Amino acid sequence: MPTTQQLQEFTQQVRRDIVRMVHAVNSGHPGGSLGCAEFFTCLYQEIMDYSTDFSMDGKNEDLFFLSNGHISPVYYSVLARSGFFPVAELATFRKLDSRLQGHPTTHEHLPGIRIASGSLGQGMSVAIGAAQAKKLDGDNKVVYSLHGDGELQEGQVWEAVMYAAAKKVDNLISTVDVNEKQIDGSTDEVLAMGSLKAKFEAFGWDVVEIAEGNNIEAVLAGMAEAKSRTGNGKAVCVLLRTEMGNGVDFMMHTHAWHGKAPNDEQLEVALTQNTETLGDY
């Protein structure tokens, strides 16, 4: 079991990977990726029960589905550093014929990727289907998913939320990255959604809030609480409050880095602010 310090060091390395990946091809989405670095680290280094001997059926192991697929840099980094594929492959991000496309896809057969998630709003439906399949198979493992708060402006999400409650899909933990920012500005400016907690509860879900989504210990505690609430007849929603661009000061407190790569000078600043090197690719 890794210590908090080890998880923090792993997270810093993931941040280094993210900024180097998007810088190398001058494209990608660093903001949300950086904001979710702690979450992915905790999920794959501590929380989930999985095998790196990857199979698409995922029987007898926890499953994860990334719905907001544009934050693929953090996903790829954590998958590679958790043993799904060689870390050196991160250098192929968004290049021609790479398995590491800008949005995760399945036809490249990249270990760890079970759905294509370029189109927002669809991951909840897929996660619910996987969770129901586990119930039918007598598999007691948990299905996890991650969604952007701006993504919840997609109507399909709420159809799926309603379905999960009606069918008592209680082996599902869906986390929402509540950074209150999206590509065109703040979520309140683009399309205010009111209280997400009240909405999910009104739809019949159990809700856990993690106020410090960029704090390793808070994420671990919050996700443990969420898991303790599974199996009680309700799907579980985790509202994870993060800072877009967290760990790179000039990317924080703005939506500007949702989908913009750093230049050479900015890359060096970002790397200086994240000094832990477990082995760059």
Side-chain angles (χ1 to χ4, degrees):
M1 181 181 296
T3 65
T4 300
Q5 179 63 33
Q6 288 171 324
L7 292 173
Q8 290 170 340
E9 291 171 357
F10 188 97
T11 302
Q12 276 205 331
Q13 178 64 66
V14 169
R15 289 201 182 96
R16 291 177 66 88
D17 291 345
I18 291 166
V19 294
R20 293 178 76 229
M21 289 162 70
V22 298
H23 166 266
V25 289
N26 195 31
S27 80
H29 296 78
S33 293
L34 291 165
C36 287
E38 286 87 357
F39 173 76
F40 273 89
T41 292
C42 291
L43 198 67
Y44 277 90
Q45 292 293 297
E46 179 68 22
I47 296 167
M48 287 205 309
D49 180 10
Y50 63 86
S51 171
T52 54
D53 184 15
F54 182 74
S55 65
M56 286 296 284
D57 60 38
K59 290 183 178 180
N60 299 312
E61 60 181 312
D62 293 337
L63 303 183
F64 172 73
F65 295 95
L66 175 66
S67 189
N68 49 332
H70 57 280
I71 67 168
S72 61
V74 64
Y75 194 18
Y76 294 150
S77 170
V78 172
L79 285 177
R81 294 190 180 277
S82 297
F84 282 87
F85 57 87
V87 170
E89 194 168 351
L90 296 177
T92 71
F93 175 66
R94 279 183 173 253
K95 294 182 179 178
L96 289 176
D97 300 320
S98 171
R99 297 195 296 177
L100 278 62
Q101 293 297 299
H103 295 77
T105 58
T106 54
H107 63 273
E108 286 88 358
H109 306 294
L110 184 66
I113 306 298
R114 288 192 166 87
I115 60 166
S117 52
S119 298
L120 293 174
Q122 299 177 0
M124 180 77 75
S125 299
V126 176
I128 290 169
Q132 286 193 301
K134 283 194 174 295
K135 282 180 170 286
L136 290 170
D137 286 343
D139 183 341
N140 64 0
K141 297 299 184 180
V142 177
V143 175
Y144 295 85
S145 62
L146 179 66
H147 314 263
D149 51 358
E151 181 186 4
L152 301 189
Q153 295 160 355
E154 296 276 2
Q156 181 179 334
V157 174
W158 296 102
E159 294 180 56
V161 170
M162 180 169 58
Y163 178 91
K167 301 302 180 181
K168 295 180 171 55
V169 184
D170 59 1
N171 56 338
L172 172 68
I173 300 175
S174 292
T175 298
V176 180
D177 174 22
V178 186
N179 60 29
E180 300 181 342
K181 299 176 185 67
Q182 58 192 103
I183 190 169
D184 289 327
S186 73
T187 50
D188 278 350
E189 291 170 338
V190 176
L191 184 62
M193 292 176 285
S195 170
L196 293 179
K197 183 176 188 291
K199 278 184 168 60
F200 273 93
E201 288 180 339
F203 271 79
W205 283 51
D206 203 350
V207 178
V208 174
E209 295 187 274
I210 302 178
E212 297 180 71
N214 294 120
N215 178 290
I216 293 288
E217 293 179 343
V219 173
L220 290 175
M223 295 304 292
E225 174 64 21
K227 187 172 182 179
S228 76
R229 299 192 191 185
T230 59
N232 292 315
K234 291 184 176 184
V236 180
C237 169
V238 175
L239 297 178
L240 179 79
R241 300 194 179 276
T242 70
E243 179 60 52
M244 181 178 279
N246 189 62
V248 178
D249 60 5
F250 62 85
M251 292 187 182
M252 297 169 66
H253 311 298
T254 174
H255 71 281
W257 293 90
H258 170 89
K260 182 173 72 172
N263 59 30
D264 293 350
E265 181 180 348
Q266 290 166 331
L267 172 65
E268 290 307 313
V269 172
L271 293 176
T272 298
Q273 293 174 4
N274 293 274
T275 57
E276 187 59 45
T277 301
L278 305 180
D280 284 334
Y281 53 87

